[in-house]
Amino acid sequence: MSEDYKDMWKSLGLNLEAHDMLLKALGKGYQDIYMTQQNRPAGMGYFDFVMSEVHGLRIKELIDEKRAGRKVIGSFCVFVPEEIVLAADAVLVGLCTGADFAMEDVEKLLPRNTCSLIKSAFGFKLGKVCPYLESADMIVGENTCDGKKKSYETLNDLVSNLYVMDIPQMKSIKGRDLLKAEYMRFKNAVEELTGITINSARLKKGIEIVNNKRKAIHKLSILRKAEPVPLSGLDALLINQVFFYDEPIRFTESVNKVCDELEMRIRKEEGVLPKGASRILISGCPMALPNWKLPWLIETSGAVIVGEESCVGERGIKNLTDNSGNTVEELMEAIIDRYFKVNCAIFTPNQDRLKDIEEMVKTCQADGVIHYGLQFCQPYLMESISVEKALEAKNIPTLRIETDYSMEDVEQLRTRVEAFIELIK
Ligand code: BJ8
């Protein structure tokens, strides 16, 4: 445990022993999966550093920001608009959810058949090991799937600063009206929390910063489609995960540096695997940090991931927010329009998600799709069946995986993934 940060973690009320265990497990997982990869771009060094300091230096930065009067807002979902948060000079961070922790305690509060993502969020809270959650001045829960919606009722007993945002379930006029009402209410809540009135100049600036982050990832997504593929899916996933934690301007610069390097690699036809390696598109539930299990299995089985139809990936960053409005009202409308296009499986019907997947198969020139569903995630598991049917009808090989955050099924998954890659060769 780094002595430098011990006092900081203590001041946040973390359980130092449990936190130390978590950091060791995180470090070992990272070492085993990331540091054994060959031929990574030098620019990934920045992301290695961020990972080594994800509970250290980054938390210190957040605490320094708080001392300087800024507020920290934590979120579990890409429906929380960062533009509004930044416009009020606050910081948005993703909350820890990618690994099992304190499961015995969690299952005293939640049914066993709750998805790993929700259980993990509770495990980090109950185990007192998430410095992001403990630094947050406001925690935003969103009424998306039933699991999250109901678990926030329980979370409300564990934290004093939960703000619940309602989210529509249909892409209808009424649905958009609901999103608008909720984003206006959120804007007011953020203004109240920060004491800052959001004007058009502030909102424009917030939109510009978030759009720049998205543009950098868009560029990265285009570059990694080259043949041979210049960046591993694991590294692309890491970048997409760090998206939710890092200081946004620094993050954008760091992604752009990796992009410059990828351009050179493409000119030299330098890939992470030789030309002709099977190209996989992943689609489904988000993979929160440090959930790398499935991508690691795929990329140690001779294939390369070329895209993610996921909220930690394309679904989360797909559209920019129109910055051309001149008033707060116009800019808020643009924000609502942008987020209303997120094709999460909580929507019904959700045909546009299927179109997104088909489009990505084409643009990424994927040889097959692996649909990733977390056990007990009804929205994505239900959709995985129609996704598979539609893709198979177009002769796009598809593999449906249902898993959790444990490593118990690794060998079984490896057998299925290897067989699938063999099939699409
Ligand atoms: S916009 S995908 S980030 S809700 S895995 S908790 S859906 S039972 S995470 Fe999500 Fe927002 Fe949608 Fe994206 Fe529920 Fe499924 Fe668990 Fe999930």
Side-chain angles (χ1 to χ4, degrees), residues 265-294:
R265 284 185 159 213
I266 292 168
R267 277 198 292 276
K268 289 194 262 168
E269 298 205 343
E270 191 181 336
V272 283
L273 283 182
K275 269 186 183 174
S278 299
R279 300 164 67 95
I280 302 288
L281 176 75
I282 289 192
S283 168
C285 293
M287 290 178 182
L289 195 78
N291 176 13
W292 304 303
K293 180 169 73 172
L294 184 61

mmCIF file of all heavy atoms in Angstrom, residues 265-294:
data_model
loop_
_atom_site.group_PDB
_atom_site.id
_atom_site.type_symbol
_atom_site.label_atom_id
_atom_site.label_comp_id
_atom_site.label_asym_id
_atom_site.label_seq_id
_atom_site.Cartn_x
_atom_site.Cartn_y
_atom_site.Cartn_z
ATOM 1 N N ARG A 265 1.686 3.585 -37.530
ATOM 2 C CA ARG A 265 1.630 2.117 -37.606
ATOM 3 C C ARG A 265 0.905 1.670 -38.873
ATOM 4 O O ARG A 265 1.314 0.714 -39.525
ATOM 5 C CB ARG A 265 0.877 1.548 -36.399
ATOM 6 C CG ARG A 265 1.680 1.564 -35.147
ATOM 7 C CD ARG A 265 0.938 0.892 -34.016
ATOM 8 N NE ARG A 265 1.907 0.495 -33.024
ATOM 9 C CZ ARG A 265 1.832 -0.577 -32.247
ATOM 10 N NH1 ARG A 265 0.791 -1.361 -32.303
ATOM 11 N NH2 ARG A 265 2.781 -0.867 -31.404
ATOM 12 N N ILE A 266 -0.165 2.373 -39.186
ATOM 13 C CA ILE A 266 -0.950 1.982 -40.370
ATOM 14 C C ILE A 266 -0.109 2.178 -41.628
ATOM 15 O O ILE A 266 -0.086 1.331 -42.515
ATOM 16 C CB ILE A 266 -2.278 2.778 -40.422
ATOM 17 C CG1 ILE A 266 -3.179 2.338 -39.261
ATOM 18 C CG2 ILE A 266 -3.004 2.583 -41.754
ATOM 19 C CD1 ILE A 266 -4.384 3.215 -39.015
ATOM 20 N N ARG A 267 0.645 3.312 -41.668
ATOM 21 C CA ARG A 267 1.506 3.551 -42.837
ATOM 22 C C ARG A 267 2.536 2.441 -42.986
ATOM 23 O O ARG A 267 2.869 2.007 -44.076
ATOM 24 C CB ARG A 267 2.209 4.912 -42.716
ATOM 25 C CG ARG A 267 1.326 6.073 -43.193
ATOM 26 C CD ARG A 267 2.156 7.319 -43.478
ATOM 27 N NE ARG A 267 2.724 7.905 -42.285
ATOM 28 C CZ ARG A 267 2.068 8.746 -41.475
ATOM 29 N NH1 ARG A 267 0.841 9.110 -41.763
ATOM 30 N NH2 ARG A 267 2.645 9.238 -40.410
ATOM 31 N N LYS A 268 3.029 1.955 -41.847
ATOM 32 C CA LYS A 268 4.067 0.903 -41.889
ATOM 33 C C LYS A 268 3.454 -0.501 -41.916
ATOM 34 O O LYS A 268 4.169 -1.491 -41.811
ATOM 35 C CB LYS A 268 4.976 1.028 -40.662
ATOM 36 C CG LYS A 268 5.879 2.243 -40.702
ATOM 37 C CD LYS A 268 6.978 2.126 -39.666
ATOM 38 C CE LYS A 268 6.637 2.895 -38.421
ATOM 39 N NZ LYS A 268 7.400 2.705 -37.256
ATOM 40 N N GLU A 269 2.124 -0.566 -41.966
ATOM 41 C CA GLU A 269 1.394 -1.846 -41.931
ATOM 42 C C GLU A 269 1.805 -2.680 -40.713
ATOM 43 O O GLU A 269 2.060 -3.879 -40.813
ATOM 44 C CB GLU A 269 1.589 -2.632 -43.226
ATOM 45 C CG GLU A 269 1.052 -1.914 -44.429
ATOM 46 C CD GLU A 269 0.682 -2.868 -45.556
ATOM 47 O OE1 GLU A 269 1.117 -4.016 -45.553
ATOM 48 O OE2 GLU A 269 -0.076 -2.425 -46.431
ATOM 49 N N GLU A 270 1.867 -1.994 -39.576
ATOM 50 C CA GLU A 270 2.277 -2.669 -38.344
ATOM 51 C C GLU A 270 1.021 -2.969 -37.522
ATOM 52 O O GLU A 270 0.257 -2.064 -37.179
ATOM 53 C CB GLU A 270 3.200 -1.712 -37.576
ATOM 54 C CG GLU A 270 3.922 -2.326 -36.434
ATOM 55 C CD GLU A 270 4.803 -1.284 -35.723
ATOM 56 O OE1 GLU A 270 5.203 -0.270 -36.349
ATOM 57 O OE2 GLU A 270 5.051 -1.486 -34.524
ATOM 58 N N GLY A 271 0.807 -4.233 -37.218
ATOM 59 C CA GLY A 271 -0.396 -4.591 -36.467
ATOM 60 C C GLY A 271 -0.082 -5.292 -35.165
ATOM 61 O O GLY A 271 1.051 -5.727 -34.940
ATOM 62 N N VAL A 272 -1.088 -5.409 -34.304
ATOM 63 C CA VAL A 272 -0.881 -6.166 -33.064
ATOM 64 C C VAL A 272 -0.896 -7.663 -33.348
ATOM 65 O O VAL A 272 -0.350 -8.458 -32.605
ATOM 66 C CB VAL A 272 -1.925 -5.815 -31.970
ATOM 67 C CG1 VAL A 272 -1.600 -4.498 -31.320
ATOM 68 C CG2 VAL A 272 -3.342 -5.837 -32.479
ATOM 69 N N LEU A 273 -1.565 -8.039 -34.433
ATOM 70 C CA LEU A 273 -1.523 -9.418 -34.920
ATOM 71 C C LEU A 273 -1.263 -9.339 -36.422
ATOM 72 O O LEU A 273 -1.554 -8.312 -37.053
ATOM 73 C CB LEU A 273 -2.855 -10.129 -34.660
ATOM 74 C CG LEU A 273 -3.153 -10.620 -33.242
ATOM 75 C CD1 LEU A 273 -4.490 -11.335 -33.189
ATOM 76 C CD2 LEU A 273 -2.055 -11.547 -32.718
ATOM 77 N N PRO A 274 -0.756 -10.399 -37.033
ATOM 78 C CA PRO A 274 -0.514 -10.338 -38.478
ATOM 79 C C PRO A 274 -1.822 -10.145 -39.256
ATOM 80 O O PRO A 274 -2.901 -10.417 -38.729
ATOM 81 C CB PRO A 274 0.083 -11.713 -38.796
ATOM 82 C CG PRO A 274 0.415 -12.335 -37.503
ATOM 83 C CD PRO A 274 -0.359 -11.664 -36.438
ATOM 84 N N LYS A 275 -1.684 -9.696 -40.504
ATOM 85 C CA LYS A 275 -2.853 -9.565 -41.381
ATOM 86 C C LYS A 275 -3.632 -10.868 -41.407
ATOM 87 O O LYS A 275 -3.039 -11.945 -41.378
ATOM 88 C CB LYS A 275 -2.391 -9.287 -42.821
ATOM 89 C CG LYS A 275 -2.260 -7.835 -43.160
ATOM 90 C CD LYS A 275 -1.933 -7.703 -44.644
ATOM 91 C CE LYS A 275 -1.720 -6.245 -44.991
ATOM 92 N NZ LYS A 275 -1.272 -6.037 -46.338
ATOM 93 N N GLY A 276 -4.947 -10.767 -41.521
ATOM 94 C CA GLY A 276 -5.742 -11.983 -41.682
ATOM 95 C C GLY A 276 -6.263 -12.556 -40.372
ATOM 96 O O GLY A 276 -7.016 -13.528 -40.385
ATOM 97 N N ALA A 277 -5.856 -11.957 -39.228
ATOM 98 C CA ALA A 277 -6.394 -12.464 -37.943
ATOM 99 C C ALA A 277 -7.902 -12.207 -37.919
ATOM 100 O O ALA A 277 -8.379 -11.214 -38.463
ATOM 101 C CB ALA A 277 -5.715 -11.748 -36.781
ATOM 102 N N SER A 278 -8.645 -13.121 -37.287
ATOM 103 C CA SER A 278 -10.111 -12.958 -37.229
ATOM 104 C C SER A 278 -10.471 -11.688 -36.475
ATOM 105 O O SER A 278 -9.894 -11.391 -35.427
ATOM 106 C CB SER A 278 -10.744 -14.152 -36.523
ATOM 107 O OG SER A 278 -10.450 -15.310 -37.249
ATOM 108 N N ARG A 279 -11.435 -10.970 -37.046
ATOM 109 C CA ARG A 279 -11.828 -9.662 -36.490
ATOM 110 C C ARG A 279 -13.190 -9.814 -35.798
ATOM 111 O O ARG A 279 -14.161 -10.222 -36.426
ATOM 112 C CB ARG A 279 -11.917 -8.624 -37.627
ATOM 113 C CG ARG A 279 -10.595 -8.436 -38.354
ATOM 114 C CD ARG A 279 -10.806 -7.730 -39.680
ATOM 115 N NE ARG A 279 -11.239 -6.362 -39.522
ATOM 116 C CZ ARG A 279 -10.437 -5.299 -39.523
ATOM 117 N NH1 ARG A 279 -9.134 -5.465 -39.694
ATOM 118 N NH2 ARG A 279 -10.920 -4.082 -39.379
ATOM 119 N N ILE A 280 -13.226 -9.447 -34.524
ATOM 120 C CA ILE A 280 -14.441 -9.659 -33.723
ATOM 121 C C ILE A 280 -15.049 -8.328 -33.299
ATOM 122 O O ILE A 280 -14.325 -7.417 -32.867
ATOM 123 C CB ILE A 280 -14.099 -10.467 -32.438
ATOM 124 C CG1 ILE A 280 -13.471 -11.815 -32.784
ATOM 125 C CG2 ILE A 280 -15.331 -10.633 -31.541
ATOM 126 C CD1 ILE A 280 -14.408 -12.836 -33.360
ATOM 127 N N LEU A 281 -16.364 -8.251 -33.404
ATOM 128 C CA LEU A 281 -17.095 -7.123 -32.816
ATOM 129 C C LEU A 281 -17.751 -7.633 -31.538
ATOM 130 O O LEU A 281 -18.404 -8.684 -31.551
ATOM 131 C CB LEU A 281 -18.169 -6.621 -33.793
ATOM 132 C CG LEU A 281 -19.059 -5.510 -33.250
ATOM 133 C CD1 LEU A 281 -18.303 -4.188 -33.215
ATOM 134 C CD2 LEU A 281 -20.325 -5.347 -34.088
ATOM 135 N N ILE A 282 -17.581 -6.880 -30.458
ATOM 136 C CA ILE A 282 -18.267 -7.227 -29.204
ATOM 137 C C ILE A 282 -19.503 -6.346 -29.093
ATOM 138 O O ILE A 282 -19.474 -5.166 -29.445
ATOM 139 C CB ILE A 282 -17.348 -6.992 -27.991
ATOM 140 C CG1 ILE A 282 -16.248 -8.047 -27.965
ATOM 141 C CG2 ILE A 282 -18.140 -7.061 -26.694
ATOM 142 C CD1 ILE A 282 -15.466 -8.087 -26.687
ATOM 143 N N SER A 283 -20.583 -6.945 -28.605
ATOM 144 C CA SER A 283 -21.815 -6.169 -28.465
ATOM 145 C C SER A 283 -22.481 -6.571 -27.155
ATOM 146 O O SER A 283 -22.450 -7.741 -26.769
ATOM 147 C CB SER A 283 -22.731 -6.513 -29.649
ATOM 148 O OG SER A 283 -24.023 -6.019 -29.432
ATOM 149 N N GLY A 284 -23.078 -5.608 -26.455
ATOM 150 C CA GLY A 284 -23.844 -5.985 -25.268
ATOM 151 C C GLY A 284 -23.648 -5.091 -24.067
ATOM 152 O O GLY A 284 -23.562 -3.868 -24.196
ATOM 153 N N CYS A 285 -23.563 -5.705 -22.896
ATOM 154 C CA CYS A 285 -23.465 -4.968 -21.628
ATOM 155 C C CYS A 285 -22.143 -4.197 -21.563
ATOM 156 O O CYS A 285 -21.145 -4.629 -22.141
ATOM 157 C CB CYS A 285 -23.481 -5.941 -20.444
ATOM 158 S SG CYS A 285 -25.043 -6.788 -20.226
ATOM 159 N N PRO A 286 -22.144 -3.104 -20.818
ATOM 160 C CA PRO A 286 -20.874 -2.376 -20.659
ATOM 161 C C PRO A 286 -19.861 -3.180 -19.841
ATOM 162 O O PRO A 286 -20.243 -3.951 -18.966
ATOM 163 C CB PRO A 286 -21.286 -1.105 -19.900
ATOM 164 C CG PRO A 286 -22.678 -1.281 -19.449
ATOM 165 C CD PRO A 286 -23.278 -2.455 -20.151
ATOM 166 N N MET A 287 -18.566 -2.977 -20.161
ATOM 167 C CA MET A 287 -17.496 -3.638 -19.398
ATOM 168 C C MET A 287 -16.792 -2.592 -18.561
ATOM 169 O O MET A 287 -15.897 -1.892 -19.036
ATOM 170 C CB MET A 287 -16.512 -4.296 -20.354
ATOM 171 C CG MET A 287 -17.102 -5.493 -21.049
ATOM 172 S SD MET A 287 -15.961 -6.220 -22.200
ATOM 173 C CE MET A 287 -16.972 -7.529 -22.864
ATOM 174 N N ALA A 288 -17.239 -2.483 -17.325
ATOM 175 C CA ALA A 288 -16.650 -1.470 -16.438
ATOM 176 C C ALA A 288 -15.280 -1.937 -15.962
ATOM 177 O O ALA A 288 -15.030 -3.131 -15.856
ATOM 178 C CB ALA A 288 -17.579 -1.253 -15.248
ATOM 179 N N LEU A 289 -14.407 -0.996 -15.681
ATOM 180 C CA LEU A 289 -13.080 -1.288 -15.133
ATOM 181 C C LEU A 289 -13.212 -2.083 -13.834
ATOM 182 O O LEU A 289 -14.022 -1.671 -12.994
ATOM 183 C CB LEU A 289 -12.407 0.063 -14.868
ATOM 184 C CG LEU A 289 -10.924 0.102 -14.626
ATOM 185 C CD1 LEU A 289 -10.203 -0.020 -15.958
ATOM 186 C CD2 LEU A 289 -10.553 1.390 -13.945
ATOM 187 N N PRO A 290 -12.517 -3.135 -13.561
ATOM 188 C CA PRO A 290 -11.487 -3.823 -14.336
ATOM 189 C C PRO A 290 -12.010 -5.128 -14.970
ATOM 190 O O PRO A 290 -11.376 -6.171 -14.824
ATOM 191 C CB PRO A 290 -10.452 -4.150 -13.268
ATOM 192 C CG PRO A 290 -11.301 -4.473 -12.050
ATOM 193 C CD PRO A 290 -12.587 -3.684 -12.187
ATOM 194 N N ASN A 291 -13.117 -5.056 -15.654
ATOM 195 C CA ASN A 291 -13.695 -6.254 -16.265
ATOM 196 C C ASN A 291 -13.087 -6.457 -17.655
ATOM 197 O O ASN A 291 -13.533 -5.848 -18.614
ATOM 198 C CB ASN A 291 -15.217 -6.088 -16.340
ATOM 199 C CG ASN A 291 -15.897 -7.238 -17.034
ATOM 200 O OD1 ASN A 291 -15.289 -8.277 -17.267
ATOM 201 N ND2 ASN A 291 -17.156 -7.054 -17.385
ATOM 202 N N TRP A 292 -12.059 -7.295 -17.727
ATOM 203 C CA TRP A 292 -11.353 -7.522 -19.003
ATOM 204 C C TRP A 292 -11.445 -8.980 -19.444
ATOM 205 O O TRP A 292 -10.758 -9.396 -20.387
ATOM 206 C CB TRP A 292 -9.861 -7.155 -18.842
ATOM 207 C CG TRP A 292 -9.604 -5.759 -18.369
ATOM 208 C CD1 TRP A 292 -10.040 -4.605 -18.974
ATOM 209 C CD2 TRP A 292 -8.839 -5.336 -17.224
ATOM 210 N NE1 TRP A 292 -9.601 -3.508 -18.260
ATOM 211 C CE2 TRP A 292 -8.856 -3.925 -17.184
ATOM 212 C CE3 TRP A 292 -8.141 -6.013 -16.232
ATOM 213 C CZ2 TRP A 292 -8.208 -3.177 -16.198
ATOM 214 C CZ3 TRP A 292 -7.500 -5.269 -15.242
ATOM 215 C CH2 TRP A 292 -7.537 -3.879 -15.235
ATOM 216 N N LYS A 293 -12.243 -9.776 -18.726
ATOM 217 C CA LYS A 293 -12.203 -11.237 -18.908
ATOM 218 C C LYS A 293 -12.448 -11.678 -20.352
ATOM 219 O O LYS A 293 -11.621 -12.376 -20.946
ATOM 220 C CB LYS A 293 -13.237 -11.889 -17.972
ATOM 221 C CG LYS A 293 -13.286 -13.402 -18.072
ATOM 222 C CD LYS A 293 -14.113 -14.035 -16.954
ATOM 223 C CE LYS A 293 -15.591 -13.845 -17.116
ATOM 224 N NZ LYS A 293 -16.378 -14.615 -16.129
ATOM 225 N N LEU A 294 -13.584 -11.268 -20.907
ATOM 226 C CA LEU A 294 -13.929 -11.763 -22.240
ATOM 227 C C LEU A 294 -12.971 -11.244 -23.328
ATOM 228 O O LEU A 294 -12.482 -12.039 -24.142
ATOM 229 C CB LEU A 294 -15.392 -11.432 -22.571
ATOM 230 C CG LEU A 294 -15.894 -11.991 -23.902
ATOM 231 C CD1 LEU A 294 -15.823 -13.514 -23.951
ATOM 232 C CD2 LEU A 294 -17.328 -11.518 -24.180
#
